[in-house]
Amino acid sequence: MTGAASRAAMSDIYDPKFVKAVFDRCSDRYITFSLICSFGFTERWRRQCVAAMPALSTETANGYDLMAGTGEVWPHLLKRFDRIKAVTAVDISSGMHRRAMERLHAHRAHRIEFIEDDLLASDLPSESADFVVSTFGLKTFNPEQHARLAALIARVLKPGGVFSMIEASDPKGWWLRPLYLFHLKVVLPLVERTLLRGAQDFSMIGTYSTNFGSAAALAAMLRSHGLEVEYSKYFFGCATGVAGRRPARG
Ligand SMILES: C[S@@+](CC[C@H](N)C(=O)[O-])C[C@H]1O[C@@H](n2cnc3c(N)ncnc32)[C@H](O)[C@@H]1O
């Protein structure tokens, strides 16, 4: 059994401490691995996630990038909404954040803040965000944790605030699904083992993605908190997303 596989067998793979350790170990190689092994799809999906976000109700907005990791969505976000005042990146992994600082902090430092926080036990202030964005951070949560995340997003959004989130998903019903799963569960671990000489941490991403299924359940949870939600599939369901807004006060 590989290092990560045996660690996973002995642990709850949805325990925030376990997830943090996976991403701390992955952080140095995350950007390259994510771009190359998805054939550029992750970048395209981040852009589509930002494009799906409804227009901001204020030009000089403040908001959160949840599970921000290495801050890969910031260029897309700040390009579409160039008047955004501040993005507060929230992540449990200081390793991912350190990488983000090296790569992006220099020229965006005045608009990026960071909070190291476990979002499943977060006391981010209520009605503090004009927007919430999140890319590829949903899969390491189980359904009960998604319910907590939905409640958090509904609480932190200001009335009229908007959100968009996206995640790699299981394209059930697509005739090329077996090939896609082969890529996730066989090719990616092999690439990591041979080229990156890694501890097989990225192989966990295949397991997380297929367990996740799609963002449909999260859409229902967000609606149950009174948010207006649109659910979307990207590239035959290989990614799914939710976008919408908290209704403004009448
Ligand atoms: C796959 S990375 C996504 C990073 C980035 N948003 C992107 O587009 O590539 C998932 C991130 O979620 C973070 N994360 C996982 N569980 C978390 C939690 N409970 N609270 C805060 N961040 C968490 C991880 O540390 C990791 O940086």
Side-chain angles (χ1 to χ4, degrees), residues 19 30 46 67-69 91-93 96 117-119 135-136:
V19 174
Y30 178 80
R46 286 185 190 103
M67 286 85 77
D91 201 285
I92 198 172
S93 164
M96 291 294 270
D117 195 15
D118 173 5
L119 283 162
T135 54
F136 307 115

Side-chain angles (χ1 to χ4, degrees), residues 83-139:
R83 303 279 306 275
I84 279 179
K85 209 159 107 201
V87 181
T88 301
V90 188
D91 201 285
I92 198 172
S93 164
S94 45
M96 291 294 270
H97 173 61
R98 256 197 311 276
R99 195 77 185 85
M101 296 313 237
E102 284 165 23
R103 189 170 178 237
L104 296 159
H105 192 69
H107 62 293
R108 297 200 175 93
H110 59 295
R111 294 163 94 184
I112 307 292
E113 287 160 22
F114 177 72
I115 299 177
E116 184 173 331
D117 195 15
D118 173 5
L119 283 162
L120 298 169
S122 176
D123 57 2
L124 288 176
S126 298
E127 301 195 357
S128 52
D130 298 300
F131 66 87
V132 167
V133 70
S134 186
T135 54
F136 307 115
L138 302 174
K139 65 183 156 301

Side-chain angles (χ1 to χ4, degrees), residues 96-192:
M96 291 294 270
H97 173 61
R98 256 197 311 276
R99 195 77 185 85
M101 296 313 237
E102 284 165 23
R103 189 170 178 237
L104 296 159
H105 192 69
H107 62 293
R108 297 200 175 93
H110 59 295
R111 294 163 94 184
I112 307 292
E113 287 160 22
F114 177 72
I115 299 177
E116 184 173 331
D117 195 15
D118 173 5
L119 283 162
L120 298 169
S122 176
D123 57 2
L124 288 176
S126 298
E127 301 195 357
S128 52
D130 298 300
F131 66 87
V132 167
V133 70
S134 186
T135 54
F136 307 115
L138 302 174
K139 65 183 156 301
T140 52
F141 290 165
N142 63 27
E144 180 267 323
Q145 293 169 330
H146 284 134
R148 270 193 261 170
L149 181 70
L152 177 77
I153 291 168
R155 185 174 67 70
V156 300
L157 277 177
K158 294 178 187 173
V162 298
F163 65 91
S164 186
M165 297 182 273
I166 197 165
E167 184 54 275
S169 303
D170 185 348
K172 286 190 181 131
W174 185 36
W175 70 282
L176 286 177
R177 177 177 182 255
L179 200 64
Y180 176 74
L181 294 187
F182 181 76
H183 174 71
L184 277 188
K185 296 197 162 185
V186 180
V187 178
L188 295 197
L190 195 68
V191 168
E192 185 182 26

